[in-house]
Amino acid sequence: QVQLVESGGGLVQPGGSLRLSCAQSGFISGHYATGWFRQAPGKEREGVSCISTADGSTVYADFVQGRFTIPVDNGKNTVYLQMNSLKYEDAAVYYCARGPYYCTGFPWTPPYTFALRGWGQGTQVTVSS
């Protein structure tokens, strides 16, 4: 069973940067996609970004395009979310989850959420001046 653990959240000022980590363990053989998601209080879960180790492709939500990147360290089985130029609306709990081999279909909104596995507990990102 694949296990994902998010970390790196915290308090950051608007315009600042934060780097989240998604450490993966368990059965992670072969190629796969990893997605980052976030959920703010009173809002639905949003897809943030996705990366596939099968083809190296990435997908970014429009609201983070040009501000976030999703680096990968295959040796550490870790996917990162580098967040720059943070805004108040970026405040949320950020989650990562394992998807199919490719990012096709991201963010796998309901009723297709079953395609995602290994949800972690999330890491809180707070944006405050």
Side-chain angles (χ1 to χ4, degrees):
Q1 181 180 356
V2 63
Q3 302 286 337
L4 279 67
V5 178
E6 303 94 339
S7 63
L11 176 66
V12 64
Q13 295 182 340
S17 298
L18 206 59
R19 187 173 186 243
L20 308 183
S21 298
C22 175
Q24 305 183 36
S25 62
F27 185 75
I28 51 175
S29 179
H31 301 294
Y32 59 91
T34 300
W36 280 101
F37 307 83
R38 71 187 188 187
Q39 187 166 20
K43 297 183 64 177
E44 297 293 324
R45 188 187 67 200
E46 300 177 307
V48 177
S49 185
C50 178
I51 186 166
S52 170
T53 62
D55 59 6
S57 64
T58 57
V59 177
Y60 296 94
D62 289 340
F63 54 81
V64 302
Q65 184 70 47
R67 299 189 297 122
F68 292 8
T69 59
I70 186 168
V72 174
D73 188 332
N74 289 319
K76 295 181 178 180
N77 293 322
T78 300
V79 177
Y80 303 92
L81 184 66
Q82 179 65 50
M83 305 184 294
N84 303 314
S85 302
L86 284 162
K87 305 174 180 179
Y88 288 114
E89 52 264 42
D90 293 319
V93 177
Y94 283 72
Y95 302 88
C96 59
R98 178 78 66 81
Y101 294 107
Y102 302 98
C103 289
T104 304
F106 178 84
W108 302 290
T109 54
Y112 304 107
T113 308
F114 65 86
L116 294 163
R117 296 174 174 83
W119 292 97
Q121 296 300 308
T123 185
Q124 177 73 54
V125 173
T126 302
V127 183
S128 177
S129 60

